[in-house]
Every structure is written in C-alpha cells, then in structure tokens.
Amino acid sequence: MRTRQLPGALIAGTALAAAVLLPAPAGAASAAPTASPAVTYTNPLVNRRADPHIVKHTDGYYYFTATVPEYDRIVLRRATTIQGLSTAPEKVIWTRHATGEMGAHIWAPEIHFIDGKWYVYFAAGRTDDIWKIRMYALESSAADPLTGAWTEKGRIATPMDSFALDATTFVVRGVRYLSWAQKDPAIDTNSNVYIARLANPWTISGTPVRLTVPTYPWETVGFKVNEGPAVIQRGGKVFMSYSASATDSNYCLGLLTASATGNLLDPAAWKKSPTPVFTSNTATGQYGPGHNSFTTSEDGGSDILVYHDRGYKDITGDPLNDPNRRTRVQKLHWRADGTPDFGIPVADGATPGRLASHNFPDHYVRHREFRARLEADVDNLADSQFRTVTGLAGGGTVSLESANFPGHYLRGRNGEVRVERNDGTAAFRESASFHQRPGLADPAGVSYEAYASPGQYLRHAGFLLHVQRADTALARQDATFHQH
C-alpha cells in the first residue's frame, strides 16, 4: 500500500507485445469449449476504495473490505453477486483508537474465515507516530460479520520490530501460512515480502522467510517496494502476486511462482517473473493498478482479479493523499502452460470477453496488425478481448469493441473483417454492427449476422475472419462462437 511520503516520477503505461501467427490446424474438428464461461462486470466497482479484498463465502455472499481514504476505520459490505457489492450497504465494524496503537493509517484490511470464525487483518500506525505501521487482527464468531461483535486480537508480532503491513493468509497442503510486507532496517529497501507458518490466525510460528526484495527497475520507481501479496492456486502451483514501486502510475503487479509440493519456506522454491504482469495502460485510461486480491465468479467457473487503480495519471502532491483509487474487477485468464494471464487493466464500463471458435475451441478471435483472425495461444490476451456494446447502428444490434484499442470495432468491409477506429460515418456504423443470434451450429453459442449484409455472418475461413454466407454445415460451424 504505501511506504512512502513523497511521490515518485511518473511513467507511461505498458507497451503491447506483437503477436505471432501460429500455423493453422489441418482441418476442422468439432469439440466443446474447455475455457471457463464468460462473465461481465461494470467498472469501477466501488469508488474511493483502495487495497480491495473480496472473499466468496459458503453462505452465498461475497464479502468486501478495503482501505477508505480517511485511513480511520474498517468497513464491510456483502452481496450475493460481485456487481451487487457496488451498491450494497456499508457497515463500519471498527474505528481507529483515539490514542496510542492502532490510532492512525488504518490500511489494507483483509477478511478471512478460518476454523469457524471471521478474522480481519489490517495495518495501523500510532497516534503519536503515524509511520510506526504494524499488523493487527480482529476476530468475530458471528455468522454475519457485518452485525457481529469484533474482538481485537492485538498485534501480529514479527521478529523484526519494523514497518509491516499487508498481511494475507492461505493454505497449501493443509498448512496455513501468513504472507506480508515489511521493512528490513539492514537493507536499502522500503519493503519486502515475507512468509511464515501460523500457529493460530494471529500468531506466527517459526522464523519468517523473505521471498522477494525489490531489485528490478520496475520495482524501484519512486520507492523500492514489494508489498500487498495475494495468492491463487491452480494446477499444483502456487502463484503469489505482489505490488511494486510508488503508489502513483508506476504501481504495478509482479508474480512469484512455486510448486505446491515444494518447501514454500525456501526462497529458492519460488521463481520471480523478471517483468511486471499488470501495469498502467494509457489506451484504456487506467493508471497504477495494484494491491490485488482474487475471488471466483458467481457460477464458480472463472477466477476474478480484484484490484485498485486511478482513472488519471498525474497526481498533485503525495499519492497517499489522493483519495480516488477505486476498486475494479475483471476476469483472470489462464495460459495453456497453466500460468495466469492478467492481461491489461480494461477500460471503464462493461468488461470484455473472448470469442472461441466452435469448431476450433482452443482458437480465439483476435486482431493482429488490425486484421481479425483465429489463433490459439494468443500471446497478448487483450488482442483477443472484445467488449459487446450497443450496436453503433442501433436497431437491436451489437458492436464488438477492441479491449486494447477502445473506439476501434470489428468491422466487415469488402468481405474482410478488421479492427478499425469509428470514423463517425453511417457506413462505419452499419458495417460495424451485427445482430447477435443463437449459434448456427450450436444454440448455446452465438453467431453474428451483419447488419449491412443480411444473411451474411462473421465466420472464419483460412483462419481469417470474413463476412460471408453460412449456407453449409461447415460454414455454420465456422460462424459459431462461444463467449469466454
């Protein structure tokens, strides 16, 4: 969250990597899509809430907590849907102390359900020393943590009595761990990420281990920071994201990876990505994405990335005094090699999705050099993400807007389909609008009939997208897609 009191230098957003066209399979092969189903949310989810943490509980509710810009209290919301958290009533469950410990800088709360009780981890300073930040825990045995009483369990003690924050907990192979960020006075960094076993939810067991120190240039802009760990597990691997650099537009996410069967208390068991996995994006207007958590979609079929950012780059004064970090959510995707693909922080509004081919279910619609085509293993996720919006031509149509080139749409022209910028003409509006139909080869999928050419559909041929008739069985398969 924030080890710093002065703003760092501002940098531009991420560059988009060029894609490589893979060889096309020899022939069409019908198969059911294997990727998780589409989910759509509207961003920002909650304004003026940073360091967001969302947990899906067995009672059917999502629970949400986050840092408030006044840094003076801990709040909770709950709703049966992620989007419902946007308007859910908010309850103050704890307020900072008037004197002494836990009296200032109430930061980064997380809510966890452990052994039948609720726990909230948070960081706080002292009223007489606001930068003496340490970690603390609250406990509640109530079924509903919004209405139940909370007990202070006190400080989470670590061997170093130094700046410490951003506690999170997770279980791997039956062992519960705590991970957090802390300053080591012996080295020249603002904060590093640590891990230890837990004897109980508020007590560390054994000697903590340092997992990562900010050393890469993208981790040390403005301040030398690794903080805000968050864990997601999949396919026998443990992935720990963390935040790096100053809390302005330089803020970004890094990633550590370990085998679930390895010794997680051995730093050598963790591999650190040499590049950030989630950064500012000028095209979508999102700056300083970071301090994330993970949850799952309502149907349980998709992993959801939860994070904060700002909708502008330039900040006057200390970024910690800027109140406009906001909570956002978007689908987390997975590569064929089993690693998470964070993509880019998508534009405000409805989140985008992907279109998988019905007859080549591991191939997705994507653009490369603005030509629309099908590819597997898309190396730049955002090239294969499109937002379904109200059709530019109206009349009950839809248009498909590029995720990484907002204002650009899939457009049929001279039979070819390209991603082009809306030039405001009637011809563009008509050629970039489609009637969304049940899938011609599978009603569970979708097909897109061209508004400007009734009876013709978006379809692939030679792994390039065209607007053509779909009057054969193969053509109907080629014109059917599944939303992911």
Side-chain angles (χ1 to χ4, degrees):
M1 187 167 140
R2 9 354 27 214
T3 61
R4 37 251 165 243
Q5 302 177 50
L6 297 174
L10 300 177
I11 60 173
T14 184
L16 300 178
V20 177
L21 181 62
L22 300 177
S30 296
T34 56
S36 56
V39 291
T40 302
Y41 303 105
T42 300
N43 282 313
L45 185 71
V46 185
N47 287 314
R48 296 170 68 91
R49 292 293 180 266
D51 313 319
H53 189 254
I54 296 176
V55 61
K56 185 180 184 182
H57 190 44
T58 54
D59 64 0
Y61 283 96
Y62 287 92
Y63 290 86
F64 166 82
T65 187
T67 301
V68 302
E70 297 81 9
Y71 302 153
D72 64 352
R73 62 194 187 276
I74 297 175
V75 297
L76 277 182
R77 302 183 186 199
R78 75 172 187 173
T80 55
T81 65
I82 292 174
Q83 197 66 52
L85 293 169
S86 182
T87 55
E90 190 169 82
K91 176 71 179 297
V92 176
I93 64 162
W94 183 89
T95 302
R96 70 182 179 188
H97 290 190
T99 60
E101 276 194 309
M102 295 181 275
H105 281 163
I106 310 304
W107 285 344
E110 288 199 6
I111 184 168
H112 297 270
F113 192 74
I114 304 172
D115 297 333
K117 294 183 180 180
W118 291 100
Y119 293 88
V120 168
Y121 297 126
F122 67 100
R126 296 179 56 90
T127 55
D128 54 357
D129 187 351
I130 63 173
W131 292 104
K132 192 170 184 179
I133 308 292
R134 302 295 185 267
M135 301 179 294
Y136 300 88
L138 305 176
E139 180 188 77
S140 177
S141 58
D144 181 357
L146 275 76
T147 59
W150 287 88
T151 301
E152 294 177 1
K153 305 305 289 186
R155 179 176 152 192
I156 301 173
T158 59
M160 291 186 297
D161 184 16
S162 61
F163 185 100
L165 70 170
D166 296 349
T168 192
T169 187
F170 58 96
V171 175
V172 178
R173 300 179 69 202
V175 177
R176 181 167 292 280
Y177 297 89
L178 190 80
S179 184
W180 69 97
Q182 188 163 12
K183 180 175 177 60
D184 183 345
I187 62 176
D188 182 26
T189 60
N190 297 90
S191 61
N192 319 294
V193 172
Y194 294 81
I195 187 174
R197 292 192 182 195
L198 282 176
N200 61 44
W202 62 93
T203 307
I204 288 171
S205 173
T207 302
V209 175
R210 189 172 66 214
L211 295 183
T212 175
V213 174
T215 55
Y216 289 117
W218 53 270
E219 298 177 298
T220 59
V221 183
F223 295 92
K224 298 176 181 179
V225 170
N226 284 173
E227 64 182 13
V231 168
I232 188 168
Q233 302 179 53
R234 182 181 169 106
K237 293 184 178 180
V238 182
F239 302 97
M240 180 184 289
S241 60
Y242 63 92
S243 299
S245 285
T247 55
D248 50 25
S249 65
N250 300 293
Y251 210 46
C252 60
L253 292 183
L255 188 69
L256 300 173
T257 304
S259 170
T261 60
N263 178 9
L264 300 186
L265 298 178
D266 179 3
W270 296 84
K271 181 181 179 181
K272 182 175 181 176
S273 172
T275 57
V277 296
F278 202 54
T279 64
S280 293
N281 191 280
T282 301
T284 61
Q286 308 301 321
Y287 298 95
H291 203 119
N292 77 288
S293 59
F294 301 101
T295 189
T296 56
S297 61
E298 289 78 359
D299 62 5
S302 297
D303 293 306
I304 305 299
L305 174 66
V306 185
Y307 64 99
H308 76 236
D309 76 2
R310 293 184 178 88
Y312 50 87
K313 176 182 178 182
D314 296 324
I315 300 169
T316 300
D318 188 340
L320 292 181
N321 295 329
D322 181 289
N324 294 318
R325 291 178 293 179
R326 65 267 178 87
T327 295
R328 298 167 54 79
V329 293
Q330 62 190 68
K331 183 174 177 176
L332 181 73
H333 292 265
W334 295 90
R335 299 185 182 91
D337 66 0
T339 59
D341 194 337
F342 290 74
I344 63 173
V346 299
D348 287 352
T351 54
R354 307 177 84 192
L355 293 172
S357 166
H358 174 72
N359 45 0
F360 292 93
D362 63 342
H363 283 57
Y364 292 87
V365 175
R366 63 86 50 90
H367 62 83
R368 184 166 65 87
E369 297 177 351
F370 296 98
R371 182 69 167 91
R373 61 191 73 224
L374 284 186
E375 282 187 15
D377 298 327
V378 177
D379 61 341
N380 185 30
L381 174 66
D383 285 349
S384 64
Q385 291 179 299
F386 297 89
R387 180 160 61 174
T388 302
V389 299
T390 301
L392 300 177
T397 62
V398 299
S399 293
L400 297 168
E401 183 180 17
S402 168
N404 51 351
F405 290 92
H408 290 63
Y409 299 83
L410 285 178
R411 178 193 186 189
R413 187 154 58 100
N414 299 324
E416 294 186 349
V417 179
R418 305 183 68 85
V419 171
E420 295 184 356
R421 178 179 287 278
N422 182 5
D423 62 11
T425 64
F428 186 97
R429 292 194 295 271
E430 293 175 359
S431 60
S433 296
F434 302 88
H435 289 286
Q436 183 171 305
R437 312 292 193 194
L440 297 178
D442 179 358
V446 293
S447 294
Y448 295 93
E449 183 180 10
Y451 173 83
S453 304
Q456 298 191 35
Y457 292 82
L458 279 183
R459 63 163 290 192
H460 65 86
F463 294 90
L464 295 174
L465 257 64
H466 303 269
V467 173
Q468 295 178 348
R469 301 195 67 82
D471 48 10
T472 68
L474 177 59
R476 287 190 288 274
Q477 292 181 40
D478 293 344
T480 300
F481 304 91
H482 293 269
Q483 296 173 318
H484 291 166

